[in-house]
């Protein structure tokens, strides 16, 4: 019989029933039943004392270990058998742990008990988020500059940064009129960005540092580092004039060339012979050259007659030719001079897409005042009258039918004007026209614009659905399952 209540029980060392034994002895005495956990809402991390912030999903093994460490000292007197979470609403800011413990009590009897520990989730901003919010706390800055009127290279660079997720470590991105500033909390992150830029666009860089403070006792120096990255001032669709020495080294190219693409190198094509060449950053800075025109000087021409040239004799020492372009001889007339009989003759690399009656954008070299050191020394007979750049399509129609979109970096912008929007539309059209650039960019399908049939197609290049990614918005199931986010 139980020595307390007289109920018949199986023999045990304490001679008491379980009810009386629990009434006499509480093995959870001294173990706190409530506690606090600190959570950063910005980066969704939990504080692991003394100063480590770790990423934990609700009801995960990592979060359970973090909670148990808070009562580890109190659990040293008992034996922990089992621990697990009791489900709570994800937005309740409460975490409940169900613990099972054992302890030896009177005369060697082992008592097992189940109890609940409740944690209150308190919001506290971590140091990294403090730095981001302060916006002035930075250890290194990367200043990316390009001295051009058009921002095509920057739009391309922005998509590369997004694709490779290099913007994650930035404290702040600031846009100014001729470039971007990337602010970082450590010099290593800034150096990583500089290395990436030098691999993706032709550029050169310089670095400097400024002493902020110095601890003479521990010999610790605090510096702010500045990296200056200058991108070559050449954009896609620019007409350039090479130096005679550089043109000769590239396989006796013509000095007047068209830039068809800027990736890690500058891709040039000679519109007279289809000869192509690539110039990297180091070569450019040894033999610099400038663009002869800026995009606002593009004029619209109409093709009066065009003849494709199938055989063109190669000159001595000529380099590789482009297989994607077709050489043609064309007679063109300005759309602003249709009431006159004045026509221009030119050679073009766009013979594969141009037909009589097409509109095409180009530069008029015959009636312009060239102010370039290499162009002024050239023989006038070697300077073409007109250089055609690209076929012209109805822009408003292309915008309406564009069923895709790009993501953008979150940055502090200066006041944007209509010219920036026009340049961005130029970049989107370049993506549609150039498959090589498109491969390096993440393109997302725009579900708001329906897919049209191609029966009324005006011939403008378009991006196929196979090249588009679905813009996923993953919403976690609010059941506190594995991987669910902490809702605040």
């Amino acid at each position: 019989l139980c020595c307390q209540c007289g109920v018949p029980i199986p023999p045990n060392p304490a001679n008491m029933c379980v009810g009386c034994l629990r009434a006499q002895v509480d093995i959870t005495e001294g173990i706190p039943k409530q506690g606090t956990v600190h959570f950063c809402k910005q980066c969704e991390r939990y504080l692991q004392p003394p100063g480590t912030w770790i990423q934990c999903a609700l009801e995960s093994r990592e979060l359970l270990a973090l909670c148990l460490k808070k009562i580890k000292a109190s659990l040293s007197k008992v034996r922990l058998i089992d621990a697990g979470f009791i489900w709570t609403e994800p937005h309740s800011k409460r975490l409940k742990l169900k613990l099972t413990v054992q302890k030896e009590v009177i005369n060697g009897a082992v008592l097992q008990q189940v109890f609940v520990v409740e944690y209150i989730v308190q919001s506290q901003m971590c140091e990294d988020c403090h730095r981001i919010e302060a916006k002035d706390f930075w250890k290194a800055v990367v200043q990316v500059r390009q001295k051009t009127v058009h921002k095509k290279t920057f739009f391309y660079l922005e998509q590369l940064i997004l694709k490779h997720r290099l913007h994650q470590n930035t404290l702040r991105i600031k846009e100014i009129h001729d470039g971007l500033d990337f602010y970082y909390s450590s010099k290593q992150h800034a150096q990583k960005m500089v290395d990436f830029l030098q691999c993706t666009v032709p550029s050169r860089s310089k670095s400097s540092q400024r002493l902020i403070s110095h601890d003479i006792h521990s010999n610790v120096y605090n510096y702010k580092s500045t990296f200056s990255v200058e991108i070559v001032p050449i954009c896609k669709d620019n007409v350039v004039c090479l130096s005679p020495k550089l043109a000769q080294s590239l396989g006796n190219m013509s000095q007047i060339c068209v830039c068809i693409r800027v990736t890690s190198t500058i891709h040039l094509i000679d519109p007279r012979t289809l000869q192509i060449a690539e110039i990297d950053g180091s070569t450019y800075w040894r033999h610099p050259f400038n663009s002869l025109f800026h995009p606002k000087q593009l004029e619209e021409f109409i093709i009066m007659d065009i003849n494709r040239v199938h055989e063109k004799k190669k000159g001595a020492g000529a380099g590789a030719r482009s297989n994607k372009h077709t050489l043609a001889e064309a007679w063109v007339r300005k759309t602003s001079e249709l009431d006159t009989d004045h026509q221009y003759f030119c050679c073009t690399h766009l013979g594969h897409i141009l037909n009589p009656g097409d509109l095409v954008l180009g530069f008029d070299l015959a009636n312009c005042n060239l102010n370039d050191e290499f162009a002024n020394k050239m023989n006038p007979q070697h300077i073409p009258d007109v250089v055609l750049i690209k076929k012209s399509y109805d822009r408003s129609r292309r915008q309406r039918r564009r069923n895709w979109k790009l993501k953008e970096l979150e940055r502090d912008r200066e006041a944007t004007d209509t010219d920036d929007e026009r340049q961005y539309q130029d970049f989107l059209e370049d993506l549609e026209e150039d498959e090589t650039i498109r491969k390096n960019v993440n393109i997302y399908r725009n579900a708001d614009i329906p897919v049209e049939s191609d029966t009324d197609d005006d011939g403008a290049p378009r991006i196929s659905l196979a090249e588009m990614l679905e813009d996923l918005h993953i919403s976690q199931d609010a059941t506190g399952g594995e991987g669910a986010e902490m809702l605040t």
Side-chain angles (χ1 to χ4, degrees), residues 232-451:
V232 296
I234 304 296
C235 289
K236 186 180 184 296
D237 297 338
N238 281 168
V239 175
V240 298
C241 184
L242 309 178
S243 65
K245 186 177 179 181
L246 179 59
Q248 185 180 8
S249 68
L250 295 175
N252 290 328
M253 285 184 77
S254 171
Q255 286 184 248
I256 303 291
C257 295
V258 178
C259 176
I260 54 173
R261 193 180 303 118
V262 176
T263 53
S264 56
T265 56
I266 304 171
H267 298 254
L268 299 178
I269 189 169
D270 182 353
R272 287 184 170 186
T273 62
L274 293 190
Q275 192 173 329
I276 54 175
E278 295 183 15
I279 299 175
D280 58 12
S282 59
T283 305
Y284 175 84
W285 298 116
R286 285 200 306 271
H287 306 281
F289 51 86
N290 296 314
S291 174
L292 298 180
F293 301 92
H294 56 79
K296 289 183 179 178
Q297 292 174 289
L298 275 171
E299 296 186 68
E300 193 173 56
F301 296 86
I302 186 168
I303 303 291
M304 306 306 293
D305 189 23
I306 187 166
N307 295 313
R308 288 164 181 79
V309 180
H310 298 290
E311 290 294 331
K312 181 78 173 179
K313 188 178 179 181
K314 272 192 173 186
R321 287 185 180 179
S322 173
N323 296 323
K324 296 183 179 179
H325 300 84
T326 303
L327 187 64
E329 296 175 342
W331 286 94
V332 296
R333 184 183 293 179
K334 287 185 184 179
T335 53
S336 58
E337 298 177 354
L338 288 178
D339 53 343
T340 66
D341 293 332
H342 193 187
Q343 294 188 12
Y344 302 90
F345 175 78
C346 65
C347 291
T348 179
H349 59 290
L350 303 175
H352 57 297
I353 56 173
L354 294 182
N355 295 298
D358 286 345
L359 295 176
V360 62
L361 297 175
F363 294 110
D364 180 6
L365 279 77
N367 301 314
C368 71
N369 183 15
L370 290 177
N371 185 17
D372 184 84
E373 64 169 313
F374 302 130
N376 293 339
K377 296 176 183 177
M378 284 182 66
N379 186 341
Q381 294 180 351
H382 295 158
I383 298 179
D385 292 341
V386 171
V387 176
L388 302 182
I389 299 298
K390 60 181 178 178
K391 190 174 177 179
S392 178
Y393 300 97
D394 184 359
R395 167 166 282 187
S396 59
R397 187 174 182 184
R398 288 181 79 170
Q399 282 184 251
R400 287 197 307 271
R401 300 180 63 173
R402 189 170 288 139
N403 58 342
W404 53 275
K405 59 185 177 180
L406 301 175
K407 291 189 175 180
E408 294 184 19
L409 288 172
E410 292 183 10
R411 56 186 183 269
D412 301 338
R413 294 176 180 270
E414 292 183 343
T416 56
D417 52 14
T418 53
D419 190 48
D420 285 352
E421 180 60 30
R422 182 186 63 81
Q423 293 180 16
Y424 188 65
Q425 292 300 324
D426 285 345
F427 172 68
L428 297 183
E429 290 173 6
D430 289 344
L431 281 181
E432 291 175 335
E433 294 165 9
D434 195 338
E435 185 182 352
T436 309
I437 296 180
R438 210 157 59 223
K439 290 177 181 177
N440 300 327
V441 174
N442 282 344
I443 297 170
Y444 297 90
R445 184 164 174 240
N446 190 355
D448 300 335
I449 299 176
V451 180

Side-chain angles (χ1 to χ4, degrees), residues 112-167:
Q112 181 171 306
Q113 197 167 338
V114 178
F115 66 104
V116 175
V117 180
E118 183 178 351
Y119 291 92
I120 299 171
V121 180
Q122 291 188 348
S123 297
Q124 178 179 327
M125 191 179 288
C126 66
E127 290 182 7
D128 294 337
C129 294
H130 259 299
R131 293 170 182 172
I132 295 171
E133 289 298 316
K135 291 186 178 178
D136 294 325
F137 189 92
W138 53 273
K139 288 287 183 69
V141 60
V142 179
Q143 299 173 337
V144 188
R145 300 288 182 269
Q146 187 183 31
K147 297 172 182 176
T148 55
V149 178
H150 208 289
K151 297 181 179 178
K152 280 184 182 179
T153 310
F154 273 108
F155 292 135
Y156 173 64
L157 193 60
E158 177 184 21
Q159 297 305 316
L160 286 177
I161 291 171
L162 284 166
K163 181 170 184 175
H164 296 282
R165 306 176 71 84
L166 277 174
H167 61 292

